[in-house]
Amino acid sequence: MTSRCDSKLLLHIIVVGFHHKKGCQVEFSYPPLVPDTGECSGEVPLEWKHLPTLALPDGAHNYSKDTIYFHLKDKKDSSNTTVYGVSCYRQIDAKDIVNKTDDITRGTVQKSVCVLTTMPCFGAVAAKLELVTHAWFEQKDFTQLDLLKDAFNSLSLSLSSLSSESQATMGLQLHEVVKLYKYKILVLFKLIMLERKTIFFMTPVSDLCNVILSLLSLFPGLLELGLVESVQPTKTPILTPTTPLKKETFDEEPFVEVSHSELKQLNISSDTSVESSFALSEPADLASSALPTADSSLPAALNRPTSKELGSLEAGDVGKAQVESIKNHAYLAAGGVDCSALELDSADALYQIDLEDQENYIWSSSRSRTLALTDGENQDLSLTEPLVQAERKSLTIDISQAKKKVEVVPILSPTSITIDKAGLPLAIFTKGSVCHPYLSLSYYDILEDINIRSFVIGASNVLFKQKKQNIDVLVEKSPNVKKDEPAGIVIMDKELQKQLQLTTEDLRFSHFISNRVEETAATGEFLEATEWEGGDEWIRAQFKDYLQSLMASVLAEDNNLLEAFNIHFVNAWKSTHNYKVWRNTVQQLEDVIPGHPYQGGVTLNDVKLQLARSERGRKINAAVDLAGKTVGEALTSAKSFVSSWWSNKSPTDTQPPTEDGGT
């Protein structure tokens, strides 16, 4: 990738301060965030109204300094690109300030210097911005702003000479993340591939951002090229039972996906067809002769199209006809009740609304807009057949058939990510799958946004942990974790636990990396930004080899090879959006041999690894250690007793007898 010198890389340099009455607010921006306003106006665009809370994070008063990385959506409505933010926070005593202003009323002053850029070079920008922030705070006069303007011009020149490929991973401490999560680093790697709703909780924010971005750097090209759409929700809203019915047209972006968490909340298994949540059954005592027909007694919008009319419809109008057909059947099953004639708070009105909500839940895909209508005997009904023949049959959406139709789509939806011949980087954060290295409490509602199907979010406010019903995985660094144990990963879904279970081959791979990093750190051989064994680049090379081996095994379509990667994980990955995009864009994998890089027969060491990672195994190991310690103490005591007894014997008792039997 080029350095993108033809575009404006550095957008703004901003000062955010904490006001004792107004909270976090912008105090200075160069150039102004809102055109035709002053540099100190404090005005913020509506799209970036929560920018101050990102630059000055929750709980910042507990630390004297911190560094924050965050994402913003571009202010242009037509743009899907991400704006990358780097903020350096400092806190000093108010008594040290030379020129105090009227807003300084507390014992400490908290401010952040923030930079917004269009290139994801977090570490490179942070290294320069920390020097600027330190120099500005050393002046102890926050009214002097010329230093910040000069810094903006200097940063603009330095960024224009950089390339995101060489600088994207600069400043990230990947080896520290491996030391923190140990063998579970592979669990997190697989978790990101499955596009689930994940929250990382940690303080300070600099450690939090380092963990998330370091994990993303394990995927080739993802940090450099794959975050372009990482803050963009779906343009076509995901339809839920509470979403108003909206007629779809081909002018809109054709992408709709139902996430795992939504299926879980509706008690729907992803591999079975169910009727409980989607069946629109009519009352058992309702005779067919009592059903109203499509005549003038019903509203014109509810008249069913005939077989002839349906057959003459163009392909672009099939989706509309299906929606109208479902509406007809729902009203007929309800006896043709007109909701406009009911009281809004009456029981009948609420029942009718529930029926309409069920009716509005439809499935759609990018190339296929057919709705699977099946009767009680799972026999398909043709859409061109008059619906009157199925008036006494319950309508059910066959989930398995809908998912099959999505999987055969050649390409789900266009993406702006540049993908190479190997299909990399994976399109993980696209089409409603978002990534935020840090979010403040102001973004709390994002957990319930129906237009966001998955996320990877970093948070430092404890309130994010409390909505466990809206997340699949919680990753945090517990203060009670022992030194030799990995940090905590809480997986809410039992099915997801099965998918993220590490196989024997996976344990060999992850323990080898973890042990090598620990050994390198202990001997002091580690040097940052080198390719030495145990270093950051070496770790990324190992995971790239693992990922490409997985891809080659999938292309080989050999279940024996896929078993080594956990077949449950592989099947779950095949249902994700990033897999479908990769499968339809990959052209070749050069010099990659199918199969797990650590495949082989089970050894005694593998059994020890399996025991060490399970609760039962840890108890067994503890019991063995206790027994060994007890036996060792007993042997030591016995040895001491024998030695004491032998030393107390008289010399004559120990002399050997002579040949004549004398002494």
Side-chain angles (χ1 to χ4, degrees):
M1 181 178 177
T2 63
S3 60
R4 296 168 62 184
C5 297
D6 55 337
S7 61
K8 189 175 182 181
L9 299 179
L10 194 63
L11 302 179
H12 304 276
I13 186 168
I14 305 166
V15 174
V16 176
F18 183 82
H19 193 275
H20 65 285
K21 291 183 178 179
K22 301 178 182 179
C24 301
Q25 61 178 5
V26 174
E27 299 178 347
F28 169 79
S29 61
Y30 179 80
L33 291 174
V34 179
D36 302 328
T37 61
E39 298 170 354
C40 300
S41 65
E43 295 189 31
V44 181
L46 181 62
E47 298 84 358
W48 294 350
K49 61 180 180 180
H50 297 310
L51 168 62
T53 63
L54 295 175
L56 214 162
D58 301 328
H61 60 279
N62 296 320
Y63 301 93
S64 60
K65 58 185 296 186
D66 205 350
T67 303
I68 305 97
Y69 303 146
F70 58 90
H71 293 165
L72 292 172
K73 185 183 180 301
D74 197 322
K75 291 185 295 184
K76 300 177 182 178
D77 294 335
S78 58
S79 175
N80 293 333
T81 58
T82 301
V83 174
Y84 309 96
V86 179
S87 177
C88 290
Y89 161 80
R90 295 292 184 274
Q91 179 176 219
I92 64 172
D93 293 332
K95 59 184 174 75
D96 297 333
I97 299 177
V98 176
N99 186 11
K100 291 187 178 181
T101 56
D102 295 337
D103 60 334
I104 300 178
T105 59
R106 310 176 72 181
T108 58
V109 176
Q110 301 160 359
K111 293 183 184 295
S112 291
V113 180
C114 174
V115 163
L116 301 181
T117 178
T118 58
M119 188 166 64
C121 297
F122 296 100
V125 173
K128 300 178 183 297
L129 188 59
E130 286 178 355
L131 298 176
V132 174
T133 305
H134 177 76
W136 189 54
F137 270 74
E138 283 297 312
Q139 291 182 345
K140 296 180 172 59
D141 185 359
F142 297 128
T143 61
Q144 301 296 324
L145 302 174
D146 292 337
L147 175 64
L148 300 180
K149 297 179 181 179
D150 295 339
F152 176 85
N153 297 326
S154 176
L155 282 172
S156 299
L157 292 176
S158 61
L159 284 179
S160 62
S161 61
L162 298 178
S163 66
S164 63
E165 286 186 347
S166 61
Q167 301 296 328
T169 59
M170 177 180 177
L172 298 180
Q173 305 291 324
L174 177 57
H175 60 283
E176 293 295 335
V177 179
V178 175
K179 290 168 61 178
L180 177 63
Y181 293 102
K182 304 186 184 307
Y183 69 88
K184 289 186 178 180
I185 189 73
L186 183 56
V187 176
L188 297 177
F189 180 82
K190 287 186 168 184
L191 173 63
I192 292 177
M193 293 179 65
L194 295 185
E195 299 180 2
R196 303 302 289 266
K197 296 185 176 181
T198 307
I199 286 185
F200 288 79
F201 179 82
M202 195 179 302
T203 55
V205 178
S206 56
D207 293 346
L208 173 68
C209 297
N210 179 67
V211 167
I212 294 179
L213 295 180
S214 295
L215 284 174
L216 300 187
S217 71
L218 295 176
F219 295 89
L222 182 59
L223 201 61
E224 299 89 338
L225 305 171
L227 299 179
V228 178
E229 302 178 15
S230 62
V231 295
Q232 180 66 30
T234 54
K235 287 186 175 181
T236 302
I238 298 174
L239 298 178
T240 68
T242 56
T243 305
L245 184 63
K246 179 181 178 180
K247 293 184 178 180
E248 300 182 53
T249 63
F250 283 90
D251 295 325
E252 299 173 350
E253 185 175 1
F255 178 83
V256 169
E257 180 168 332
V258 178
S259 67
H260 291 270
S261 59
E262 290 166 346
L263 295 177
K264 178 177 63 177
Q265 292 175 4
L266 292 171
N267 297 323
I268 299 173
S269 174
S270 60
D271 56 354
T272 59
S273 175
V274 296
E275 298 184 4
S276 57
S277 298
F278 297 98
L280 301 178
S281 301
E282 60 196 21
D285 57 347
L286 189 61
S288 59
S289 59
L291 291 173
T293 58
D295 54 16
S296 59
S297 62
L298 291 175
L302 299 181
N303 286 335
R304 294 191 303 270
T306 63
S307 175
K308 182 178 179 180
E309 292 171 343
L310 280 171
S312 62
L313 287 175
E314 297 181 356
D317 296 326
V318 173
K320 299 179 181 179
Q322 296 160 3
V323 174
E324 295 299 329
S325 298
I326 294 179
K327 295 182 69 174
N328 295 341
H329 188 81
Y331 271 88
L332 293 175
V337 179
D338 187 1
C339 287
S340 61
L342 299 175
E343 294 293 336
L344 292 179
D345 56 351
S346 65
D348 292 338
L350 295 177
Y351 173 77
Q352 187 66 25
I353 291 174
D354 290 340
L355 272 181
E356 292 177 359
D357 284 342
Q358 287 181 321
E359 157 196 338
N360 291 345
Y361 197 92
I362 66 171
W363 291 67
S364 61
S365 61
S366 58
R367 295 288 189 269
S368 175
R369 297 184 178 272
T370 61
L371 186 65
L373 301 178
T374 62
D375 60 3
E377 300 176 356
N378 294 328
Q379 296 175 349
D380 292 339
L381 299 177
S382 174
L383 287 176
T384 59
E385 180 183 355
L387 192 61
V388 69
Q389 298 181 11
E391 285 177 344
R392 297 191 51 78
K393 305 179 188 293
S394 58
L395 302 182
T396 307
I397 295 179
D398 191 337
I399 298 177
S400 60
Q401 292 297 325
K403 293 187 70 173
K404 289 179 181 177
K405 290 173 183 176
V406 174
E407 294 217 13
V408 299
V409 174
I411 294 180
L412 286 178
S413 184
T415 177
S416 55
I417 296 179
T418 303
I419 299 177
D420 61 15
K421 294 182 179 180
L424 298 173
L426 293 177
I428 297 176
F429 300 110
T430 58
K431 311 307 173 190
S433 178
V434 300
C435 174
H436 291 279
Y438 172 74
L439 283 184
S440 62
L441 188 60
S442 301
Y443 291 86
Y444 189 58
D445 293 339
I446 197 174
L447 301 181
E448 298 179 341
D449 191 341
I450 63 173
N451 295 324
I452 294 179
R453 58 188 178 88
S454 68
F455 54 70
V456 172
I457 291 176
S460 62
N461 194 301
V462 70
L463 292 179
F464 279 89
K465 296 170 54 178
Q466 296 182 359
K467 282 204 172 184
K468 294 185 178 180
Q469 70 276 12
N470 297 117
I471 62 178
D472 297 320
V473 180
L474 175 62
V475 184
E476 60 179 327
K477 180 183 178 181
S478 174
N480 300 323
V481 174
K482 297 180 181 179
K483 183 178 180 181
D484 56 343
E485 293 183 0
I489 301 176
V490 182
I491 303 175
M492 313 297 179
D493 186 8
K494 290 185 178 180
E495 185 65 24
L496 182 58
Q497 292 178 7
K498 185 189 301 184
Q499 295 165 3
L500 295 178
Q501 189 82 12
L502 297 182
T503 63
T504 299
E505 293 81 358
D506 284 344
L507 286 174
R508 293 174 189 164
F509 170 77
S510 57
H511 274 277
F512 171 72
I513 292 179
S514 176
N515 293 338
R516 192 67 190 93
V517 171
E518 293 282 357
E519 293 171 2
T520 305
T523 57
E525 297 177 358
F526 175 76
L527 292 177
E528 186 179 358
T530 68
E531 296 183 2
W532 290 5
E533 186 173 353
D536 287 4
E537 292 303 320
W538 176 83
I539 299 172
R540 294 187 183 100
Q542 300 302 310
F543 275 90
K544 180 179 180 180
D545 183 40
Y546 179 92
L547 179 61
Q548 290 186 332
S549 298
L550 169 62
M551 292 175 170
S553 301
V554 171
L555 294 177
E557 298 182 352
D558 188 343
N559 286 337
N560 293 328
L561 297 177
L562 296 178
E563 286 286 351
F565 296 94
N566 186 346
I567 193 65
H568 301 291
F569 163 75
V570 175
N571 291 334
W573 181 45
K574 288 182 178 180
S575 67
T576 63
H577 174 53
N578 73 82
Y579 171 83
K580 298 183 181 77
V581 174
W582 169 77
R583 194 65 179 84
N584 290 279
T585 55
V586 60
Q587 300 178 19
Q588 61 180 355
L589 294 174
E590 297 180 355
D591 302 328
V592 180
I593 301 175
H596 200 289
Y598 283 76
Q599 61 186 357
V602 179
T603 63
L604 180 60
N605 189 45
D606 296 329
V607 177
K608 292 181 179 179
L609 292 178
Q610 290 285 0
L611 289 175
R613 63 181 295 274
S614 64
E615 184 65 25
R616 183 180 179 183
R618 285 192 290 268
K619 291 180 180 179
I620 294 175
N621 288 338
V624 172
D625 292 342
L626 180 59
K629 183 179 180 181
T630 303
V631 172
E633 291 176 352
L635 291 176
T636 303
S637 178
K639 181 180 179 180
S640 177
F641 174 78
V642 172
S643 299
S644 177
W645 174 79
W646 186 262
S647 62
N648 290 335
K649 289 180 66 66
S650 62
T652 58
D653 295 335
T654 60
Q655 290 181 358
T658 61
E659 292 182 357
D660 56 358
T663 58

